[in-house]
Structures are given as structure tokens and as C-alpha cells.
């Protein structure tokens, strides 16, 4: 029995993880998206499940397989992702890994927008999407542990800490997603873990290993 609880230290704990990009429709056949593969978020969901957590993975459109032992809720748009996440509260831990589109098209067209040669191309009017991490970080049913990512291409540490504070997170994993790093879409990641009273640089490792190490942090923090 002691062995069982050591192997499944998150038994009885509920986790919410977001992963992947969101797709924001322009019209029925076109959308705005980003280069997120979902690999890191899916790996984190799987690592938490392996330790016994009841995990709901709210995922945008990805081509990778569902992780084992996890309930997957598929969404397309940021607003759908927000609704799906809030429907899962209360929870013990939330890890927001999705590359949520920051903007949606203000009023997506109901029919395919037709090309009109020689005329000015149609403008895209954008609206800001809800910040899901910030909403959860300040929610009345806030999970005990709220973790986010910070995708940066410059000033990684400083921007990561600003996000930690603004969003009400306990930890931010900040990474440099500049194309030259190969992190966006790749299998490896190099993150800086930023906490309320300090930060540490994790060495570059596989996204699965980042997930395992983060899951160990979740075990430690939820047992405090
Ligand atoms: N996030 C979110 N909802 C959004 C935007 C971001 O939940 N609408 C979450 C991401 O999942 C991530 C964290 O917030 O955990 C930081 O995302 P990021 O894109 O790096 O930061 P933003 O606050 O969107 O700022 P910017 O893109 O301008 O750097
Ligand atoms: Ca963003």
C-alpha cells in the first residue's frame, strides 16, 4: 500500500491542462492560428495522470495522439477553451500550456469571403480574446496551484515575471520560442522556472522530461 501511494502521489487530485493552439475563424474555411504542436501540454497532462491525478486536457486542434489516461476535451476557439476550462473548476492544479490566440476576428463571416480582383483586400478587424490563465489565477475557485508558460522571443526572464504577477500564477515556465531555438513544434524545450521568490534555469531536455520534472514540482507543492 505504501508503494501504491508513492507511485501515485497525485491520487485524488484533479488537474486541468490546456494545450495546443487555438483556431480563430475568419470565415467557414479560413482561420488564424499559431505554430504550437501541443507536445508540451500533452506531455504534462500525461505526466500528471501517470502520478495518479484525474486530468482533464482541454486541447486546441493538434495532430498528435491523445495522451493515455486523460480525459480530453477538444475545442477550437479561445472562448471555447475558456468555457471548457471554467467548467472543470474546482480543481487542485491548473497548468495552462496552450498557445491561446491573443485575438479573434471581431465578426467572422458566415460565408466564404470572395476574392474581388482589383479591389482593396478585406481588412481583418480583431478583438482581444479572454486570458484564460489570468481568469483562473484570479477566480473565486482558484486551484491551489496555478502554473502558466511564457512564450517569449526576447527579455525572457523579465517578461516571464511580469506574467507571473499579472496573471496571478504561482509559477511560470518561460521559454524562448524564437524560430532559431526550434522549441515551437520541436521535441525539446529549455525553460526558466519562475516562482514568487526566485527562479531557476532548467537545462535543455525533451518535452517529456520537462513534463516529468514539472509533475514532481506539482507533487511537492500540493503536499505542502
Ligand atoms: N494564456 C491564456 N489565455 C490567453 C493568452 C495566454 O491562458 N488568452 C496563457 C498561456 O497558456 C500561457 C500564458 O498565458 O500559460 C502566457 O501566454 P503568452 O502568450 O506567453 O502571454 P500573453 O499574456 O498572451 O502575452 P504576449 O503574447 O503578448 O506575450
Ligand atoms: Ca499570447
Amino acid at each position: 500500500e505504501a508503494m501504491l501511494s508513492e507511485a501515485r502521489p497525485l491520487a485524488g487530485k484533479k488537474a486541468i491542462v490546456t494545450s495546443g493552439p487555438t483556431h480563430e475563424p475568419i470565415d467557414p474555411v479560413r482561420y488564424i492560428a499559431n505554430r504550437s504542436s501541443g507536445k508540451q501540454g500533452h506531455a504534462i497532462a500525461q505526466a500528471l495522470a501517470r502520478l495518479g491525478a484525474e486530468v482533464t486536457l482541454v486541447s486546441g486542434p493538434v495532430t498528435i495522439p491523445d495522451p493515455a489516461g486523460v480525459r480530453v476535451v477538444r475545442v477550437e476557439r479561445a472562448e471555447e477553451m475558456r468555457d471548457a476550462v471554467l467548467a472543470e473548476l474546482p480543481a487542485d492544479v491548473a497548468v495552462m500550456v496552450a498557445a491561446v490566440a491573443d485575438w479573434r476576428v471581431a465578426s467572422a463571416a458566415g460565408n466564404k469571403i470572395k476574392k474581388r480582383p482589383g479591389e482593396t483586400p478585406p481588412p481583418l478587424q480583431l478583438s482581444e480574446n479572454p486570458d484564460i490563465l489570468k481568469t483562473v489565477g484570479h477566480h473565486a475557485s482558484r486551484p491551489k496551484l496555478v502554473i502558466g508558460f511564457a512564450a517569449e522571443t526576447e527579455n525572457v526572464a523579465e517578461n516571464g515575471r511580469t506574467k507571473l504577477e499579472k496573471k496571478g500564477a504561482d509559477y511560470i515556465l518561460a521559454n524562448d520560442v524564437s524560430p532559431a531555438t526550434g522549441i515551437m513544434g520541436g521535441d525539446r524545450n529549455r525553460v526558466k522556472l519562475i516562482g514568487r521568490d526566485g527562479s531557476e534555469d532548467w537545462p535543455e531536455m525533451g518535452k517529456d522530461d520537462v513534463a516529468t520534472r514539472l509533475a514532481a514540482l506539482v507533487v511537492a507543492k500540493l503536499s505542502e
Side-chain angles (χ1 to χ4, degrees):
E1 185 168 73
M3 279 181 64
L4 265 180
S5 63
E6 269 170 43
R8 297 174 66 81
L10 295 178
K13 302 293 185 191
K14 168 143 188 206
I16 308 170
V17 180
T18 67
S19 185
T22 62
H23 285 183
E24 306 297 330
I26 297 170
D27 68 17
V29 298
R30 304 182 178 100
Y31 57 84
I32 298 176
N34 61 64
R35 298 184 191 282
S36 171
S37 64
K39 285 175 186 167
Q40 186 64 82
H42 280 50
I44 289 168
Q46 179 145 24
L48 294 171
R50 215 182 278 130
L51 296 180
E54 179 201 332
V55 182
T56 298
L57 172 64
V58 181
S59 177
V62 297
T63 57
I64 58 173
D66 288 353
V70 164
R71 189 170 86 89
V72 182
V73 178
R74 285 182 197 73
V75 299
E76 291 219 348
R77 299 179 293 109
E79 290 174 306
E80 291 170 348
M81 184 174 277
R82 186 254 336 259
D83 293 346
V85 165
L86 294 183
E88 294 299 318
L89 292 177
D92 298 286
V93 54
V95 189
M96 301 311 191
V97 197
V100 183
D102 292 317
W103 305 283
R104 66 181 176 275
V105 176
S107 44
N111 289 308
K112 185 185 168 194
I113 301 168
K114 297 301 290 179
K115 175 174 65 176
R116 302 195 192 286
E119 287 185 21
T120 310
L124 279 185
Q125 180 83 40
L126 303 179
S127 302
E128 195 167 319
N129 268 330
D131 189 323
I132 303 166
L133 173 57
K134 190 174 179 182
T135 303
V136 169
H138 294 100
H139 201 277
S141 301
R142 181 192 193 278
K144 177 175 178 187
L145 192 56
V146 175
I147 301 172
F149 272 71
E152 308 293 345
T153 59
E154 56 186 358
N155 305 326
V156 176
E158 187 191 331
N159 289 339
R161 182 156 298 284
T162 303
K163 284 177 186 173
L164 175 90
E165 282 156 16
K166 282 203 180 137
K167 292 166 186 269
D170 299 296
Y171 290 98
I172 289 283
L173 292 156
N175 59 11
D176 184 341
V177 294
S178 302
T181 65
I183 285 174
M184 207 91 176
D187 288 324
R188 299 183 67 77
N189 205 350
R190 195 162 72 84
V191 304
K192 177 187 282 286
L193 176 75
I194 301 172
R196 295 199 172 269
D197 36 44
S199 69
E200 62 187 44
D201 285 302
W202 290 6
E204 187 190 310
M205 59 184 110
K207 287 182 175 175
D208 287 341
D209 293 322
V210 170
T212 302
R213 190 159 166 174
L214 185 66
L217 176 76
V218 170
V219 171
K221 290 295 151 187
L222 286 188
S223 59
E224 268 176 11

